Coordinates of all heavy atoms in Angstrom, one line a residue:
M1 N 0.8 -1.2 0.0 CA 0.0 0.0 0.0 C 0.9 1.2 0.0 O 2.0 1.2 0.5 CB -0.9 0.0 1.2 CG -1.9 1.1 1.3 SD -3.1 0.8 2.6 CE -4.5 0.9 1.7
E2 N 0.4 2.4 -0.5 CA 1.2 3.6 -0.6 C 0.5 4.7 0.3 O -0.7 4.8 0.4 CB 1.3 4.1 -2.0 CG 2.0 3.1 -2.9 CD 2.1 3.6 -4.3 OE1 1.2 4.3 -4.8 OE2 3.1 3.2 -5.0
D3 N 1.4 5.5 0.9 CA 0.9 6.7 1.6 C 0.9 7.8 0.6 O 1.8 7.9 -0.3 CB 1.8 7.1 2.7 CG 1.8 6.1 3.8 OD1 0.8 5.3 3.9 OD2 2.7 6.1 4.7
T4 N 0.0 8.8 0.7 CA 0.0 9.9 -0.2 C 0.2 11.2 0.6 O -0.4 11.4 1.6 CB -1.4 10.0 -0.9 OG1 -1.6 8.8 -1.6 CG2 -1.4 11.2 -1.8
I5 N 1.1 12.0 0.2 CA 1.3 13.3 0.8 C 1.1 14.3 -0.3 O 1.6 14.2 -1.4 CB 2.8 13.5 1.4 CG1 2.9 12.6 2.6 CG2 3.0 14.9 1.8 CD1 4.2 12.7 3.3
C6 N 0.3 15.3 0.0 CA 0.0 16.4 -1.0 C 0.7 17.6 -0.6 O 0.5 18.2 0.4 CB -1.5 16.6 -1.0 SG -2.1 17.6 -2.3
I7 N 1.6 18.1 -1.5 CA 2.4 19.3 -1.3 C 1.9 20.3 -2.3 O 2.1 20.1 -3.5 CB 3.9 19.1 -1.3 CG1 4.3 18.0 -0.3 CG2 4.6 20.4 -1.1 CD1 5.7 17.6 -0.5
K8 N 1.4 21.5 -1.8 CA 0.9 22.5 -2.7 C 0.0 21.9 -3.8 O 0.0 22.3 -4.9 CB 2.0 23.2 -3.4 CG 2.8 24.1 -2.4 CD 3.9 24.9 -3.1 CE 4.6 25.7 -2.1 NZ 5.7 26.5 -2.7
G9 N -0.9 21.0 -3.4 CA -1.8 20.4 -4.3 C -1.3 19.3 -5.2 O -2.0 18.7 -6.0
T10 N 0.0 19.0 -5.2 CA 0.6 18.0 -6.0 C 0.8 16.7 -5.2 O 1.6 16.7 -4.3 CB 1.9 18.5 -6.6 OG1 1.7 19.7 -7.2 CG2 2.5 17.5 -7.6
P11 N 0.1 15.6 -5.6 CA 0.3 14.4 -4.8 C 1.7 13.8 -5.0 O 2.2 13.8 -6.1 CB -0.8 13.5 -5.3 CG -1.2 14.0 -6.7 CD -0.8 15.5 -6.7
I12 N 2.3 13.3 -4.0 CA 3.5 12.6 -4.0 C 3.3 11.2 -3.4 O 2.9 11.1 -2.3 CB 4.7 13.3 -3.2 CG1 5.0 14.7 -3.9 CG2 5.9 12.5 -3.1 CD1 5.9 15.5 -3.1
M13 N 3.5 10.2 -4.1 CA 3.3 8.8 -3.6 C 4.5 8.4 -2.9 O 5.6 8.5 -3.4 CB 3.0 7.9 -4.8 CG 1.8 8.3 -5.6 SD 0.3 8.6 -4.7 CE -0.2 6.9 -4.4
M14 N 4.3 7.9 -1.7 CA 5.4 7.3 -0.9 C 5.1 5.9 -0.5 O 4.1 5.7 0.2 CB 5.6 8.2 0.4 CG 6.1 9.6 0.0 SD 6.2 10.7 1.5 CE 6.0 9.6 2.9
T15 N 5.9 5.0 -1.0 CA 5.7 3.6 -0.6 C 6.4 3.4 0.7 O 7.6 3.7 0.9 CB 6.3 2.7 -1.7 OG1 5.7 3.0 -2.9 CG2 6.1 1.2 -1.3
T16 N 5.7 2.9 1.7 CA 6.3 2.6 3.0 C 6.2 1.1 3.2 O 6.9 0.3 2.6 CB 5.6 3.4 4.1 OG1 4.2 3.1 4.1 CG2 5.8 4.9 3.9
T17 N 5.4 0.6 4.1 CA 5.3 -0.8 4.4 C 3.9 -1.3 3.8 O 3.1 -0.5 3.3 CB 5.2 -1.0 5.9 OG1 4.1 -0.4 6.5 CG2 6.5 -0.5 6.6
A18 N 3.8 -2.6 3.9 CA 2.5 -3.2 3.4 C 1.3 -2.7 4.2 O 0.2 -2.6 3.7 CB 2.6 -4.7 3.4
Q19 N 1.5 -2.4 5.5 CA 0.5 -1.9 6.3 C 0.9 -0.5 6.9 O 1.4 -0.4 8.0 CB 0.2 -2.9 7.5 CG -0.2 -4.3 7.1 CD -1.6 -4.2 6.4 OE1 -2.4 -3.5 6.9 NE2 -1.7 -5.0 5.3
P20 N 0.6 0.6 6.2 CA 1.0 1.9 6.7 C 0.2 2.2 8.0 O -0.9 1.8 8.2 CB 0.6 2.8 5.6 CG -0.5 2.1 4.8 CD -0.1 0.7 4.9
R21 N 0.9 2.9 8.9 CA 0.3 3.3 10.2 C -0.7 4.5 10.0 O -1.6 4.6 10.7 CB 1.3 3.7 11.2 CG 2.1 2.5 11.6 CD 3.1 2.9 12.7 NE 4.3 2.2 12.6 CZ 5.3 2.4 13.3 NH1 5.4 3.3 14.2 NH2 6.4 1.6 13.2
A22 N -0.4 5.4 9.0 CA -1.2 6.6 8.8 C -1.0 7.1 7.4 O 0.0 6.8 6.8 CB -0.8 7.7 9.8
V23 N -1.9 7.8 6.9 CA -1.9 8.5 5.7 C -2.0 10.0 6.0 O -3.0 10.4 6.7 CB -2.9 8.0 4.7 CG1 -2.9 8.8 3.4 CG2 -2.8 6.6 4.4
F24 N -1.1 10.8 5.5 CA -1.1 12.3 5.7 C -1.4 13.0 4.4 O -0.8 12.6 3.4 CB 0.2 12.8 6.3 CG 0.4 12.2 7.7 CD1 1.2 11.1 7.9 CD2 -0.1 12.9 8.8 CE1 1.4 10.6 9.1 CE2 0.1 12.4 10.0 CZ 0.9 11.2 10.2
Y25 N -2.2 14.0 4.4 CA -2.4 14.9 3.3 C -1.9 16.3 3.8 O -2.4 16.8 4.8 CB -3.8 15.0 2.9 CG -4.3 13.7 2.4 CD1 -4.9 12.7 3.3 CD2 -4.2 13.3 1.0 CE1 -5.3 11.5 2.8 CE2 -4.6 12.1 0.6 CZ -5.2 11.2 1.5 OH -5.6 9.9 1.0
T26 N -0.9 16.8 3.2 CA -0.2 18.0 3.7 C -0.4 19.2 2.6 O -0.2 18.9 1.5 CB 1.3 17.8 3.9 OG1 1.4 16.8 4.9 CG2 1.9 19.0 4.5
E27 N -0.8 20.3 3.1 CA -0.8 21.5 2.3 C 0.0 22.6 3.0 O 0.1 22.6 4.2 CB -2.2 22.0 2.2 CG -3.1 21.2 1.3 CD -2.9 21.3 -0.2 OE1 -2.4 22.3 -0.6 OE2 -3.3 20.4 -0.9
R28 N 0.6 23.4 2.2 CA 1.3 24.6 2.7 C 0.5 25.8 2.5 O 0.1 26.2 1.4 CB 2.7 24.8 2.0 CG 3.6 23.7 2.2 CD 4.8 24.0 1.4 NE 5.6 22.7 1.2 CZ 6.8 22.7 0.6 NH1 7.3 23.8 0.1 NH2 7.4 21.5 0.5
I29 N 0.2 26.5 3.6 CA -0.6 27.7 3.5 C 0.1 28.7 4.4 O 0.3 28.5 5.5 CB -2.1 27.5 3.9 CG1 -2.8 26.5 3.1 CG2 -2.8 28.9 3.9 CD1 -4.1 26.0 3.6
S30 N 0.4 29.9 3.8 CA 1.1 30.9 4.6 C 0.5 32.2 4.3 O 0.2 32.5 3.1 CB 2.6 30.9 4.2 OG 3.3 31.8 5.0
K31 N 0.2 33.0 5.3 CA -0.4 34.3 5.1 C 0.5 35.4 5.6 O 1.1 35.3 6.7 CB -1.7 34.3 6.0 CG -2.5 35.6 5.9 CD -3.8 35.5 6.7 CE -4.5 36.8 6.7 NZ -5.6 36.8 7.6
V32 N 0.6 36.4 4.8 CA 1.4 37.6 5.2 C 0.7 38.2 6.4 O -0.5 38.4 6.5 CB 1.4 38.6 4.0 CG1 2.2 39.9 4.5 CG2 2.1 38.0 2.8
G33 N 1.6 38.5 7.4 CA 1.1 39.2 8.6 C 0.9 40.7 8.3 O 0.3 41.1 7.3
G34 N 1.4 41.5 9.2 CA 1.2 43.0 9.1 C 2.2 43.6 8.1 O 2.1 44.8 7.8
R35 N 3.2 42.8 7.6 CA 4.2 43.4 6.7 C 4.3 42.6 5.4 O 4.2 41.4 5.4 CB 5.5 43.5 7.4 CG 5.6 44.3 8.7 CD 7.0 44.3 9.2 NE 7.4 44.0 10.5 CZ 6.7 43.6 11.6 NH1 5.5 43.4 11.5 NH2 7.3 43.4 12.7
E36 N 4.7 43.2 4.3 CA 5.0 42.6 3.1 C 6.6 42.5 3.0 O 7.2 43.4 3.5 CB 4.5 43.4 1.9 CG 3.0 43.3 1.8 CD 2.5 42.0 1.1 OE1 3.3 41.3 0.6 OE2 1.3 41.8 1.3
P37 N 7.2 41.6 2.4 CA 6.7 40.4 1.9 C 6.6 39.3 2.9 O 7.1 39.4 4.0 CB 7.7 40.0 0.8 CG 9.0 40.5 1.3 CD 8.7 41.7 2.1
N38 N 6.0 38.2 2.6 CA 6.0 37.0 3.5 C 7.3 36.4 3.5 O 7.8 36.0 2.4 CB 4.9 36.0 3.0 CG 4.7 34.9 3.9 OD1 5.5 34.7 4.8 ND2 3.6 34.2 3.7
E39 N 7.9 36.2 4.6 CA 9.3 35.7 4.8 C 9.3 34.3 5.4 O 10.4 33.8 5.8 CB 10.2 36.7 5.5 CG 10.4 38.0 4.7 CD 11.3 39.0 5.5 OE1 11.4 38.9 6.7 OE2 11.9 39.8 4.8
D40 N 8.1 33.7 5.6 CA 8.1 32.4 6.2 C 8.6 31.3 5.3 O 8.6 31.5 4.1 CB 6.6 32.0 6.6 CG 6.0 33.0 7.6 OD1 6.8 33.8 8.2 OD2 4.8 33.0 7.7
S41 N 9.1 30.2 5.9 CA 9.5 29.1 5.1 C 9.0 27.8 5.7 O 8.8 27.7 6.9 CB 11.1 29.0 5.1 OG 11.6 30.1 4.4
C42 N 8.8 26.8 4.8 CA 8.3 25.5 5.3 C 8.7 24.4 4.3 O 8.9 24.7 3.1 CB 6.8 25.5 5.6 SG 5.8 25.8 4.2
D43 N 8.9 23.2 4.8 CA 9.2 22.1 3.9 C 9.1 20.8 4.7 O 8.8 20.9 5.9 CB 10.6 22.2 3.3 CG 10.8 21.5 2.0 OD1 9.8 20.8 1.6 OD2 11.8 21.7 1.3
L44 N 9.2 19.7 4.1 CA 9.2 18.4 4.8 C 10.2 17.5 4.1 O 10.6 17.7 3.0 CB 7.8 17.8 4.7 CG 7.1 17.5 3.4 CD1 7.5 16.1 3.0 CD2 5.6 17.6 3.5
A45 N 10.5 16.4 4.9 CA 11.4 15.4 4.3 C 10.9 14.0 4.9 O 10.3 13.9 6.0 CB 12.8 15.6 4.8
E46 N 11.1 13.0 4.1 CA 10.7 11.6 4.4 C 11.9 10.8 4.4 O 12.7 10.9 3.5 CB 9.7 11.1 3.4 CG 9.1 9.7 3.7 CD 9.9 8.7 3.0 OE1 10.5 9.0 1.9 OE2 9.9 7.5 3.4
A47 N 12.1 10.0 5.4 CA 13.3 9.1 5.5 C 13.0 7.9 6.4 O 12.4 8.1 7.5 CB 14.6 9.8 6.0
Q48 N 13.3 6.7 6.0 CA 13.2 5.5 6.8 C 11.8 5.5 7.5 O 11.7 5.3 8.8 CB 14.3 5.5 7.9 CG 15.7 5.3 7.3 CD 16.7 5.2 8.3 OE1 16.5 5.1 9.5 NE2 18.0 5.3 7.8
N49 N 10.8 5.6 6.8 CA 9.4 5.4 7.3 C 9.0 6.5 8.4 O 8.2 6.3 9.3 CB 9.2 4.0 7.9 CG 7.9 3.5 7.7 OD1 7.1 4.0 6.8 ND2 7.5 2.4 8.4
A50 N 9.6 7.7 8.3 CA 9.3 8.8 9.2 C 9.3 10.1 8.3 O 9.9 10.2 7.3 CB 10.4 8.9 10.2
I51 N 8.5 11.1 8.8 CA 8.4 12.3 8.1 C 8.7 13.5 9.1 O 8.2 13.4 10.3 CB 7.0 12.5 7.5 CG1 6.7 11.4 6.5 CG2 6.9 13.9 6.8 CD1 5.3 11.4 6.0
C52 N 9.4 14.5 8.6 CA 9.6 15.7 9.5 C 9.1 16.9 8.7 O 9.4 17.1 7.6 CB 11.2 15.8 9.7 SG 11.6 17.3 10.6
W53 N 8.2 17.6 9.4 CA 7.7 18.9 8.9 C 8.3 20.0 9.6 O 8.5 19.9 10.9 CB 6.2 19.0 9.1 CG 5.3 18.1 8.3 CD1 4.7 18.5 7.1 CD2 4.8 16.8 8.6 NE1 4.0 17.4 6.6 CE2 4.0 16.4 7.5 CE3 5.1 15.9 9.6 CZ2 3.4 15.1 7.4 CZ3 4.5 14.6 9.6 CH2 3.6 14.3 8.5
V54 N 8.7 21.0 8.9 CA 9.4 22.2 9.6 C 8.7 23.5 9.1 O 8.5 23.6 7.9 CB 10.9 22.3 9.2 CG1 11.5 23.4 9.9 CG2 11.6 21.0 9.5
V55 N 8.4 24.3 10.0 CA 7.8 25.7 9.7 C 8.7 26.7 10.5 O 8.9 26.5 11.7 CB 6.3 25.8 10.2 CG1 5.8 27.2 10.0 CG2 5.5 24.7 9.6
A56 N 9.1 27.7 9.8 CA 9.9 28.8 10.4 C 9.4 30.1 10.0 O 9.1 30.4 8.9 CB 11.4 28.7 9.9
D57 N 9.2 30.9 11.1 CA 8.7 32.3 10.9 C 9.8 33.2 10.4 O 10.9 33.2 10.9 CB 8.2 32.8 12.3 CG 7.5 34.1 12.2 OD1 7.6 34.8 11.2 OD2 6.8 34.5 13.2
G58 N 9.6 34.0 9.4 CA 10.6 34.8 8.8 C 10.8 36.1 9.5 O 11.7 36.9 9.1
L59 N 10.1 36.4 10.5 CA 10.2 37.7 11.3 C 10.2 38.9 10.4 O 11.1 39.6 10.3 CB 11.5 37.6 12.1 CG 11.5 36.6 13.2 CD1 12.9 36.5 13.8 CD2 10.5 36.7 14.2
G60 N 9.1 39.0 9.7 CA 8.9 40.1 8.7 C 9.4 41.4 9.3 O 9.1 41.7 10.4
G61 N 10.0 42.2 8.4 CA 10.5 43.5 8.9 C 11.9 43.5 9.4 O 12.5 44.6 9.5
H62 N 12.5 42.4 9.6 CA 13.9 42.3 10.1 C 14.7 42.0 8.9 O 14.4 41.2 8.0 CB 14.0 41.3 11.2 CG 13.3 41.7 12.4 ND1 13.9 42.5 13.4 CD2 12.1 41.3 12.9 CE1 13.0 42.7 14.4 NE2 11.9 41.9 14.1
L63 N 15.9 42.5 8.8 CA 16.9 42.3 7.8 C 17.2 40.8 7.7 O 17.6 40.2 8.7 CB 18.1 43.1 8.0 CG 19.2 43.0 6.9 CD1 18.6 43.5 5.5 CD2 20.4 43.8 7.2
G64 N 17.1 40.2 6.5 CA 17.4 38.8 6.3 C 16.4 37.8 6.8 O 16.8 36.6 7.0
G65 N 15.2 38.2 7.1 CA 14.2 37.3 7.6 C 13.9 36.1 6.7 O 13.8 34.9 7.2
K66 N 13.8 36.3 5.4 CA 13.6 35.2 4.5 C 14.8 34.2 4.5 O 14.6 33.0 4.5 CB 13.3 35.7 3.1 CG 13.0 34.6 2.1 CD 11.8 33.7 2.5 CE 11.5 32.7 1.4 NZ 10.4 31.8 1.8
A67 N 16.0 34.8 4.4 CA 17.2 33.9 4.4 C 17.3 33.1 5.7 O 17.6 31.9 5.7 CB 18.5 34.8 4.2
A68 N 17.0 33.8 6.9 CA 17.1 33.1 8.1 C 16.1 31.9 8.2 O 16.4 30.8 8.7 CB 16.8 34.1 9.3
S69 N 14.8 32.2 7.8 CA 13.8 31.1 7.9 C 14.2 30.0 6.9 O 14.0 28.8 7.3 CB 12.4 31.6 7.6 OG 12.2 32.1 6.3
S70 N 14.7 30.3 5.8 CA 15.1 29.2 4.8 C 16.3 28.4 5.3 O 16.3 27.2 5.2 CB 15.5 29.9 3.5 OG 14.4 30.5 2.9
I71 N 17.3 29.1 5.9 CA 18.4 28.4 6.5 C 18.0 27.4 7.6 O 18.4 26.3 7.7 CB 19.5 29.4 6.9 CG1 20.1 30.0 5.7 CG2 20.5 28.7 7.8 CD1 21.0 31.3 6.1
E72 N 17.1 27.9 8.4 CA 16.6 27.1 9.6 C 15.9 25.8 9.1 O 16.1 24.7 9.6 CB 15.6 27.9 10.4 CG 15.1 27.2 11.7 CD 16.2 26.7 12.6 OE1 17.3 27.4 12.6 OE2 16.1 25.8 13.3
V73 N 15.0 26.0 8.1 CA 14.3 24.8 7.5 C 15.3 23.8 7.0 O 15.2 22.6 7.3 CB 13.3 25.3 6.5 CG1 12.7 24.1 5.7 CG2 12.1 26.0 7.1
E74 N 16.2 24.3 6.2 CA 17.2 23.4 5.6 C 18.1 22.7 6.6 O 18.4 21.5 6.5 CB 18.1 24.1 4.6 CG 17.3 24.4 3.3 CD 16.7 23.2 2.7 OE1 17.3 22.1 2.5 OE2 15.5 23.3 2.4
A75 N 18.5 23.4 7.7 CA 19.3 22.9 8.8 C 18.6 21.8 9.5 O 19.1 20.7 9.8 CB 19.7 24.0 9.7
V76 N 17.3 22.0 9.8 CA 16.5 21.0 10.6 C 16.3 19.8 9.7 O 16.5 18.6 10.1 CB 15.1 21.6 11.0 CG1 14.2 20.5 11.5 CG2 15.4 22.6 12.1
L77 N 16.0 20.0 8.4 CA 15.8 18.8 7.5 C 17.1 18.0 7.3 O 17.1 16.8 7.2 CB 15.1 19.3 6.2 CG 13.7 19.8 6.3 CD1 13.2 20.2 5.0 CD2 12.8 18.7 7.0
A78 N 18.2 18.7 7.2 CA 19.5 18.1 7.0 C 19.8 17.2 8.2 O 20.3 16.1 8.1 CB 20.6 19.1 6.8
S79 N 19.5 17.7 9.4 CA 19.7 17.0 10.6 C 18.8 15.7 10.7 O 19.3 14.6 11.0 CB 19.4 17.8 11.9 OG 19.5 17.1 13.1
F80 N 17.6 15.9 10.3 CA 16.6 14.8 10.2 C 17.1 13.7 9.2 O 17.1 12.5 9.5 CB 15.2 15.3 9.8 CG 14.3 14.1 9.5 CD1 13.7 13.4 10.6 CD2 13.9 13.9 8.2 CE1 12.9 12.3 10.3 CE2 13.0 12.8 7.9 CZ 12.5 12.1 9.0
R81 N 17.5 14.1 8.0 CA 18.0 13.2 7.0 C 19.2 12.4 7.5 O 19.4 11.2 7.2 CB 18.3 13.9 5.7 CG 17.1 14.3 5.0 CD 17.5 15.0 3.7 NE 16.3 15.7 3.1 CZ 16.1 17.0 3.0 NH1 17.0 17.8 3.5 NH2 15.0 17.4 2.4
A82 N 20.1 13.1 8.3 CA 21.3 12.4 8.8 C 21.0 11.4 9.9 O 21.7 10.4 10.1 CB 22.3 13.5 9.4
N83 N 19.9 11.7 10.7 CA 19.5 10.8 11.8 C 18.0 10.8 11.9 O 17.4 11.5 12.7 CB 20.1 11.2 13.1 CG 19.8 10.3 14.2 OD1 19.4 9.2 14.0 ND2 20.0 10.7 15.4
P84 N 17.3 10.0 11.1 CA 15.8 10.1 11.0 C 15.1 9.2 12.1 O 14.0 8.9 12.0 CB 15.5 9.5 9.7 CG 16.6 8.6 9.3 CD 17.8 9.2 10.0
E85 N 15.8 9.0 13.2 CA 15.3 8.2 14.3 C 14.1 9.0 14.9 O 14.1 10.2 15.1 CB 16.3 8.0 15.4 CG 15.8 7.3 16.7 CD 16.8 7.2 17.8 OE1 17.9 7.7 17.6 OE2 16.4 6.7 18.8
V86 N 13.0 8.2 15.2 CA 11.8 8.8 15.8 C 11.6 8.1 17.1 O 11.2 7.0 17.2 CB 10.6 8.7 14.9 CG1 9.3 9.3 15.6 CG2 10.8 9.4 13.6
S87 N 11.9 8.8 18.2 CA 11.7 8.3 19.5 C 11.7 9.4 20.5 O 12.2 10.5 20.2 CB 12.9 7.3 19.9 OG 14.1 8.0 20.1
P88 N 11.2 9.2 21.7 CA 11.3 10.3 22.7 C 12.7 10.7 23.0 O 13.0 11.9 23.2 CB 10.7 9.6 24.0 CG 9.8 8.6 23.4 CD 10.5 8.1 22.2
A89 N 13.7 9.8 22.9 CA 15.1 10.2 23.2 C 15.6 11.1 22.1 O 16.5 11.9 22.4 CB 15.9 8.9 23.3
A90 N 15.2 10.9 20.9 CA 15.7 11.7 19.8 C 15.1 13.1 19.8 O 15.7 14.1 19.3 CB 15.3 11.1 18.4
L91 N 14.0 13.3 20.5 CA 13.4 14.6 20.6 C 14.1 15.4 21.7 O 14.2 16.6 21.7 CB 11.9 14.5 20.9 CG 11.1 13.8 19.9 CD1 9.6 13.6 20.3 CD2 11.1 14.5 18.5

């Protein structure tokens, strides 16, 4: 059986085990707060039957907010890909 994850309306098929524990449908929705432009970032990664979702606030109005939120998302996902263990100890 396959799990389906939907990113920005585009389905991505992920084959996991014969008996998946859950099926997730994910959408990214971000709304500009009091300032333009929207500097938030988000992404997800799948590895070894686990998924990591990351959302970072861009702190609109501060210099480099978009770069900071993008770097944070990539750093968290790189760490997850390097060690995708899912357990209370890993948290």
Side-chain angles (χ1 to χ4, degrees):
M1 185 171 236
E2 295 178 332
D3 291 344
T4 301
I5 291 185
C6 188
I7 302 173
K8 292 186 180 179
T10 305
I12 296 176
M13 302 304 285
M14 295 177 8
T15 303
T16 56
T17 63
Q19 298 295 321
R21 292 187 213 173
V23 176
F24 294 94
Y25 297 90
T26 302
E27 290 283 339
R28 297 179 196 182
I29 301 170
S30 185
K31 180 180 176 186
V32 175
R35 302 182 228 3
E36 291 280 346
N38 186 345
E39 297 181 334
D40 300 344
S41 296
C42 61
D43 206 350
L44 62 88
E46 181 266 336
Q48 297 182 9
N49 217 14
I51 301 173
C52 178
W53 287 269
V54 182
V55 178
D57 189 342
L59 298 173
H62 294 278
L63 184 61
K66 179 62 177 175
S69 67
S70 296
I71 290 167
E72 182 63 26
V73 167
E74 288 307 312
V76 170
L77 293 180
S79 176
F80 170 74
R81 288 181 188 109
N83 184 16
E85 176 185 359
V86 178
S87 71
L91 299 174

